[in-house]
Amino acid sequence: MTFEQGELILYQFYDGKVGVDVRLKDESVWLTLNQISDLFERDKSVISRHLRNIFQSGELVREATVAENATVQQEGTREVSRIIEWFNLDAIISVGYRVNSKRGTQFRIWATSILKEHLVQGCTLNQKRLAEKGLDDARQMLGLLANTLEDHKLVNDEGRGVLSIVTAYAKTWQLLWQYDEASLAIPKSMDLLSEALEIDQARPAISSLKQELLSRSEATGIFGQERGEGLAGVLGAIQQTFGGQDLYPSVQEKAANLLYFIIKDHPFVDGNKRIGSFLFLLFLRLNRDVLDFDDKALVALTLLIASSDPAQKDLLIRLVINLLTNEKG
């Protein structure tokens, strides 16, 4: 693809040395081969070799990460037009991991913060893109709903549960149009203090659920049998922190990820969907005085997650969060 000059920003090296001119365009940052060489303090031949290996291995697609731009250069007494290749942030980061450069880590942090700032301020994000994003979410969700209805032959009560999902999701439509995935704001009504669901609480509860289902001939002996440390891993994941802050700060975010991880990661030999829904409700009970989450909607939501493509994870997580926020009122 071709590259037209975008916005120019100067990046100053953390050690105080003179920095490099960074181009911002198409929601990424771009550097030439010479600039990447300067950034990582490596010879151009080394950078070229790393880039070649990155593209040959299929880690990145060259056409999506490299752009060309015709530049006029003074060579002696002549002005010569040369084609200069520009590499985006994905390529720069991939090279940075290979050279294991402290400068690379610093640059990645800086570039990410700059891009986020530009997205939030609207320098690279406009109403057209927001509309396109909303339409893409709509297309994915409606396609997923259609597939779920067809695959699971949902009619009557379950079918109405799916429709209730659509109705509740429509209430959050403005939220999805207002924010891009990279800058999705936390709703003000979300609960930021939560009590952890411990493994010693979850296991007896699952055992009680299993006994109840066995008494109704709705489960087998392998229901709830754990695969390794999968359950402990999921419960730990929703409580993990980064830099002293919760990775999932709110009750709604923790609950949504708990439901998703149990269903999609299959920590149990059998019963992942039912146990995922059960632990989802148990976690919410631990952290909320009142819970009025419709049973039919939960069945439909569980099947939506189970039927979804992994690439739709963020869409499903946002859906659950918004449903919980709406349910809370």
Side-chain angles (χ1 to χ4, degrees):
M1 60 181 172
T2 59
F3 180 81
E4 298 178 0
Q5 301 297 325
E7 183 179 353
L8 179 64
I9 288 184
L10 176 66
Y11 168 66
Q12 184 78 28
F13 291 129
Y14 68 93
D15 53 14
K17 296 181 180 179
V18 176
V20 295
D21 291 340
V22 178
R23 296 287 177 178
L24 298 180
K25 185 173 176 61
D26 297 330
E27 298 180 24
S28 189
V29 300
W30 300 80
L31 296 177
T32 65
L33 180 62
N34 286 337
Q35 290 174 318
I36 298 176
S37 177
D38 291 338
L39 173 66
F40 296 126
E41 297 182 315
R42 297 293 190 274
D43 188 84
K44 284 197 300 182
S45 62
V46 175
I47 302 300
S48 294
R49 184 176 72 251
H50 286 314
L51 287 167
R52 184 167 57 253
N53 291 336
I54 288 167
F55 296 135
Q56 287 179 350
S57 67
E59 179 180 337
L60 294 176
V61 177
R62 181 181 178 84
E63 290 74 13
T65 55
V66 182
E68 296 180 344
N69 189 61
T71 302
V72 177
Q73 299 180 156
Q74 191 73 30
E75 298 183 2
T77 59
R78 298 185 307 154
E79 287 189 348
V80 181
S81 178
R82 301 286 186 188
I83 299 297
I84 303 297
E85 289 185 324
W86 293 78
F87 301 87
N88 74 1
L89 184 59
D90 291 334
I92 298 167
I93 290 174
S94 294
V95 172
Y97 283 127
R98 282 168 167 75
V99 300
N100 193 27
S101 167
K102 290 183 179 179
R103 278 191 172 185
T105 301
Q106 189 72 18
F107 179 80
R108 182 176 70 254
I109 295 171
W110 174 86
T112 301
S113 66
I114 288 294
L115 287 173
K116 181 178 180 181
E117 178 182 349
H118 276 64
L119 287 173
V120 171
Q121 291 180 350
C123 294
T124 57
L125 192 64
N126 54 41
Q127 290 299 317
K128 180 179 179 182
R129 173 164 171 74
L130 286 171
E132 290 172 349
K133 181 61 184 175
L135 291 174
D136 182 62
D137 275 352
R139 179 187 59 77
Q140 290 189 57
M141 182 54 65
L142 291 175
L144 180 57
L145 286 168
N147 290 337
T148 303
L149 285 167
E150 181 179 354
D151 294 344
H152 297 277
K153 298 180 174 60
L154 293 180
V155 293
N156 301 327
D157 288 344
E158 283 93 351
R160 282 189 288 272
V162 173
L163 293 178
S164 72
I165 290 285
V166 177
T167 302
Y169 190 68
K171 296 177 183 178
T172 69
W173 203 248
Q174 289 299 317
L175 195 65
L176 297 179
W177 273 49
Q178 290 171 5
Y179 301 101
D180 186 79
E181 288 181 8
S183 57
L184 185 62
I186 296 177
K188 294 180 180 179
S189 60
M190 293 174 71
D191 307 305
L192 299 182
L193 296 177
S194 63
E195 179 180 340
L197 174 60
E198 303 291 349
I199 190 74
D200 292 339
Q201 295 172 287
R203 282 175 174 154
I206 294 170
S207 178
S208 296
L209 173 65
K210 178 177 180 177
Q211 294 307 313
E212 180 180 345
L213 294 176
L214 285 172
S215 69
R216 303 202 303 258
S217 299
E218 295 177 2
T220 65
I222 61 173
F223 180 91
Q225 181 177 323
E226 295 181 41
R227 297 179 185 269
E229 297 298 317
L231 174 60
V234 170
L235 295 179
I238 66 169
Q239 296 295 147
Q240 64 183 308
T241 61
F242 181 77
Q245 301 295 322
D246 282 0
L247 189 60
Y248 307 115
S250 68
V251 170
Q252 288 87 345
E253 288 169 286
K254 287 182 173 68
N257 281 278
L258 172 62
L259 179 63
Y260 186 91
F261 287 147
I262 294 291
I263 294 173
K264 300 299 278 187
D265 290 358
H266 296 93
F268 300 98
V269 175
D270 182 55
N272 289 284
K273 289 192 289 294
R274 284 179 286 178
I275 295 173
S277 301
F278 175 72
L279 294 181
F280 171 75
L281 294 175
L282 179 60
F283 177 79
L284 290 174
R285 287 286 186 191
L286 284 173
N287 288 283
R288 307 176 75 167
D289 295 332
V290 178
L291 180 65
D292 186 26
F293 201 92
D294 183 77
D295 290 343
K296 298 182 182 66
L298 180 57
V299 170
L301 184 61
T302 300
L303 293 175
L304 284 176
I305 293 173
S307 303
S308 67
D309 187 277
Q312 297 173 312
K313 177 189 173 184
D314 288 344
L315 176 65
L316 269 297
I317 293 296
R318 291 201 308 273
L319 171 61
V320 179
I321 291 172
N322 288 322
L323 288 174
L324 289 174
T325 304
N326 280 337
E327 176 267 318
K328 184 185 178 188

